[in-house]
Amino acid sequence: HVWMNTVATYNESILHQQAADRGLFKPKKKKKIKLPKCLRLPRMDEWQMFDRDRLTSIQEEEEKKFKELAAEEKIPPDVTSGVLDHETMQEKKKLLSEGFVTWNRRHYVSFVKASAAFGRHEHEAISNIVGKPIDAIKKYAENFWGEVGKSRISEKEYERAISVITRGEKKLEEVRAMEEGTAKLVSLFDDPWSELEFTPRFAYKDKSFTSEEDRYLLCWCHKFGHGMWRAIRFAIRRCRAFRFNYHMKSLTEEAIGRRCEQLMRSAVREVDHLETVYREENGMMVDAEDSDGPVELEPVVLPKFSDILAQRQAKVEDEADAEQSRLEAKVHEIESEMEKIQARLRDLDKMDINANLNNNDAISGSQLNDLVNFVVRNSTLGINAIAKEFSKNRPLSLSQVKSKISDIAVKAKREDEGDTKAVWHIKKEFAHIVDVRMKRQLDESKVHKSPVKRKKVKVDTDTNEKTYSRTSDFPPYNGEYLPREPKKDFTLFCIATRKEVKESLPYEKKKDKKLVHKILKERWEELSVKERRGWKVKEEQDIKRHQREMKIYEKAQQ
């Protein structure tokens, strides 16, 4: 630092010179000549869509002209009308009117977000979000989506805004498709709250949700609409069906939304599949495109789901009947061949069965054939009754016939063959003697008398894996007495298992009903899910049997 000898003085000129030497005061700069405020341009952001290039050029011309006038001291007293020629000033006025000077960045951002949320053509909804009149929104949207917006907004910003709005509209279209698909699927059921179900291959498999929970969630989606997850959450808490279901009551809105969207997409795929099948069956166009480009498909009205299932069941039954007819024809063909072979064997009389006899051979040849078929016809009678009836008008004693019957047949109760009591069964070495027609009649009588149910007809819908029972699967019923009431799966299990449980107990405890019931309950609880499902199927079969018999009974009472 350079120290100066300060002198006490009150002379202002000396003090000012000292201050200037130390740099405390700077000389005043010459004031720049600026345009008056009335001629200056407003702030022009890109979303206001001004023609900034042309307006900036006019501004520069005005500044240049104004500086020239200022230098010549010829500035007019009223500069509001401008300093340029009339045509240029009119052009400037027009360009300023084309812009949206009252739109700030908040309005622009709200416009983009509202267009993405509601769609570019929903001006009323966009107006409520932006806070501008509908006419102003329409005018801004017309410029934004036209050539004005493309040319006056920067390319990067315009592409970003268009991308946001396009994604939002795509989401809206997807939501609209999900709501329509859900509405169509729900309309196919008379009572969707209890009947609605998905085809297995179109369902989102999630072990956290049962079919009943999915059914209620989809019905609520149809009732409240997409995105109303809070309303669905409150509906779950008010529903009596889930009053003890902690899993459903503890779901968050996000978890409910994820599951509901999965179910709605499943509904869309289900409806698309049903419509495709319906179009194929009715010879309608399936693809939405051809050689000339996209084609609008003709709308279809799907039948009720119960009608669809009935058609599938009828189709399966027709196929089963056709297969049964084919097999019966094959059986008749085989029987005719067997009859020819038997006739040939009887004609040749070369059967050597005497070696298998333990007693005398008084009965042989045609008499043996007659005895075998006679035993088959009277299989339920005792040996004395058969021998007495067969020996009439024949030179044979009762002892000879009885001995021969013991050689060719055995009396037993074979439940696997449909026997309800002990009957005579021909031994294998003599089975070829039995008349084919008689054997067939015997088998048919066993089928009708057998309490064992025939195999169920299954419908594989890929589609809809359900088990149906044909009318011929039920035991015969003529409507003379009131049909037996249907039984629950546990009751059917007890009826089938009670005998086995009693046999496993000591003699003195076999009549203890409480003990037997306790053991039956424990065995029922030990069953696996798959085993219980089998008894549930039997319960459904018994209900169908009762319904069929009630129809026959009511018809018989008329």
Side-chain angles (χ1 to χ4, degrees):
H1 298 280
V2 178
W3 294 94
M4 299 177 61
N5 294 326
T6 58
V7 180
T9 179
Y10 295 99
N11 190 327
E12 293 181 358
S13 299
I14 296 174
L15 290 174
H16 185 271
Q17 184 63 38
Q18 290 176 356
D21 293 340
R22 291 197 298 268
L24 296 179
F25 294 99
K26 295 182 180 179
K28 292 183 178 180
K29 294 181 180 180
K30 190 175 181 180
K31 190 175 182 180
K32 290 184 178 181
I33 300 174
K34 294 183 179 180
L35 278 174
K37 194 172 182 178
C38 62
L39 296 179
R40 295 176 195 169
L41 293 175
R43 179 178 176 177
M44 297 183 297
D45 293 309
E46 57 182 346
W47 57 80
Q48 293 175 331
M49 291 184 282
F50 286 103
D51 190 354
R52 292 187 291 178
D53 295 337
R54 179 56 184 155
L55 286 171
T56 304
S57 175
I58 294 174
Q59 179 86 350
E60 291 175 353
E61 292 178 10
E62 278 186 313
E63 288 179 353
K64 184 178 178 182
K65 183 68 175 177
F66 188 80
K67 287 179 181 179
E68 291 176 357
L69 293 174
E72 298 175 359
E73 296 182 355
K74 294 182 179 180
I75 299 176
D78 185 15
V79 296
T80 56
S81 60
V83 294
L84 298 177
D85 58 277
H86 180 71
E87 293 181 359
T88 306
M89 296 309 296
Q90 288 295 324
E91 182 184 1
K92 178 182 177 181
K93 186 177 180 181
K94 179 183 177 183
L95 292 175
L96 287 174
S97 65
E98 289 178 354
F100 297 86
V101 69
T102 60
W103 281 65
N104 56 31
R105 182 162 185 83
R106 181 182 67 81
H107 295 141
Y108 170 70
V109 172
S110 299
F111 173 81
V112 174
K113 289 184 177 180
S115 298
F118 304 107
R120 67 184 69 181
H121 301 296
E122 298 296 328
H123 298 139
E124 184 176 355
I126 297 173
S127 172
N128 295 331
I129 299 298
V130 177
K132 294 277 186 182
I134 296 179
D135 295 337
I137 296 296
K138 289 181 178 179
K139 184 178 179 182
Y140 189 85
E142 182 180 355
N143 284 271
F144 180 83
W145 294 107
E147 293 297 329
V148 175
K150 292 180 182 179
S151 60
R152 297 182 182 179
I153 300 178
S154 63
E155 183 179 357
K156 183 177 180 180
E157 173 60 25
Y158 192 76
E159 288 180 355
R160 185 197 68 81
I162 294 296
S163 176
V164 171
I165 296 174
T166 304
R167 286 199 304 270
E169 289 179 335
K170 186 176 180 182
K171 179 65 176 178
L172 286 174
E173 187 64 29
E174 183 182 357
V175 170
R176 192 176 298 110
M178 288 193 294
E179 289 181 344
E180 290 178 358
T182 302
K184 286 183 180 179
L185 184 63
V186 170
S187 65
L188 298 181
F189 298 89
D190 297 325
D191 184 12
W193 296 92
S194 60
E195 298 177 357
L196 191 146
E197 59 184 12
F198 286 105
T199 302
R201 71 171 181 171
F202 295 118
Y204 274 98
K205 295 181 180 179
D206 190 341
K207 295 182 179 178
S208 302
F209 295 89
T210 64
S211 58
E212 181 185 11
E213 293 168 353
D214 286 342
R215 185 188 309 120
Y216 272 82
L217 287 176
L218 190 64
C219 290
W220 277 322
C221 288
H222 174 60
K223 180 178 180 180
F224 298 111
H226 181 275
M228 304 299 292
W229 314 135
R230 177 171 292 183
I232 294 177
R233 187 184 181 193
F234 288 147
I236 292 173
R237 296 188 174 187
R238 292 193 300 268
C239 183
R240 290 182 58 82
F242 302 121
R243 60 186 182 277
F244 302 120
N245 191 330
Y246 177 76
H247 168 252
M248 288 290 287
K249 285 192 168 186
S250 63
L251 289 175
T252 62
E253 293 180 20
E254 291 77 10
I256 293 173
R258 285 194 302 271
R259 187 56 183 170
C260 287
E261 285 191 350
Q262 290 175 350
L263 295 174
M264 294 177 81
R265 290 191 180 95
S266 298
V268 172
R269 291 198 299 272
E270 178 93 17
V271 171
D272 289 344
H273 172 71
L274 293 175
E275 288 183 350
T276 302
V277 173
Y278 183 85
R279 293 176 188 278
E280 291 176 349
E281 292 178 350
N282 292 273
M284 302 171 66
M285 185 180 294
V286 177
D287 297 329
E289 293 186 2
D290 59 8
S291 58
D292 298 332
V295 178
E296 185 177 357
L297 294 176
E298 182 182 354
V300 298
V301 179
L302 294 173
K304 290 288 187 179
F305 203 73
S306 56
D307 298 335
I308 296 175
L309 292 182
Q311 292 174 3
R312 291 176 180 172
Q313 181 179 357
K315 183 178 179 181
V316 171
E317 289 187 356
D318 292 341
E319 293 177 354
D321 291 339
E323 181 67 15
Q324 183 178 355
S325 300
R326 189 185 67 81
L327 293 175
E328 287 178 353
K330 192 71 174 176
V331 168
H332 285 301
E333 183 181 349
I334 294 173
E335 287 177 351
S336 61
E337 293 293 332
M338 290 178 65
E339 288 178 356
K340 293 177 182 179
I341 295 173
Q342 287 182 351
R344 191 178 306 164
L345 289 174
R346 284 195 296 268
D347 292 341
L348 297 175
D349 197 21
K350 293 182 178 180
M351 295 178 294
D352 187 10
I353 60 173
N354 296 330
N356 298 322
L357 302 180
N358 298 322
N359 297 315
N360 57 53
D361 56 352
I363 302 176
S364 61
S366 60
Q367 289 185 349
L368 180 61
N369 295 340
D370 296 340
L371 179 59
V372 169
N373 290 288
F374 188 81
V375 171
V376 171
R377 282 196 303 271
N378 303 278
S379 58
T380 57
L381 300 178
I383 189 171
N384 291 327
I386 294 175
K388 183 176 180 181
E389 187 67 26
F390 185 77
S391 60
K392 287 182 179 180
N393 302 323
R394 288 187 177 87
L396 298 171
S397 63
L398 291 177
S399 60
Q400 289 177 332
V401 177
K402 290 166 63 177
S403 175
K404 198 66 173 180
I405 292 173
S406 301
D407 290 336
I408 65 173
V410 60
K411 194 170 187 179
K413 180 183 177 181
R414 298 177 181 176
E415 294 182 357
D416 57 339
E417 296 184 8
D419 295 342
T420 57
K421 59 181 180 179
V423 295
W424 289 101
H425 294 273
I426 303 301
K427 294 180 179 180
K428 290 183 179 180
E429 54 266 31
F430 299 95
H432 63 278
I433 304 177
V434 180
D435 186 66
V436 176
R437 294 180 180 176
M438 187 180 299
K439 185 177 181 181
R440 182 183 175 189
Q441 293 175 0
L442 182 64
D443 292 339
E444 289 178 354
S445 64
K446 285 184 178 181
V447 169
H448 289 297
K449 293 180 181 180
S450 174
V452 181
K453 294 181 180 180
R454 293 167 58 189
K455 190 175 181 181
K456 295 178 180 178
V457 178
K458 291 185 178 180
V459 178
D460 182 15
T461 59
D462 171 12
T463 93
N464 220 352
E465 294 182 0
K466 283 194 160 203
T467 303
Y468 302 97
S469 298
R470 298 171 55 204
T471 306
S472 59
D473 293 335
F474 298 112
Y477 176 75
N478 54 13
E480 295 180 358
Y481 53 89
L482 191 67
R484 174 176 55 82
E485 292 294 326
K487 291 180 171 56
K488 298 290 185 181
D489 51 357
F490 177 68
T491 306
L492 295 172
F493 171 79
C494 292
I495 293 173
T497 318
R498 183 176 283 107
K499 185 177 180 181
E500 179 185 350
V501 172
K502 285 186 176 181
E503 290 178 353
S504 64
L505 296 174
Y507 177 77
E508 61 275 6
K509 294 184 179 181
K510 287 185 177 181
K511 295 185 179 181
D512 190 348
K513 295 183 178 180
K514 291 185 178 180
L515 177 60
V516 173
H517 187 73
K518 180 182 178 182
I519 296 173
L520 288 170
K521 190 173 181 181
E522 291 175 352
R523 290 196 179 186
W524 173 258
E525 293 175 351
E526 291 173 357
L527 292 179
S528 64
V529 177
K530 185 176 180 181
E531 291 172 335
R532 287 198 182 189
R533 192 180 299 119
W535 289 105
K536 193 68 178 177
V537 170
K538 292 183 179 180
E539 176 188 340
E540 295 173 355
Q541 180 74 4
D542 199 36
I543 292 174
K544 293 178 180 178
R545 186 271 312 161
H546 179 260
Q547 294 173 349
R548 170 181 171 272
E549 291 182 356
M550 281 299 298
K551 291 179 181 179
I552 298 174
Y553 177 76
E554 292 172 357
K555 189 174 181 180
Q557 297 301 315
Q558 293 177 356

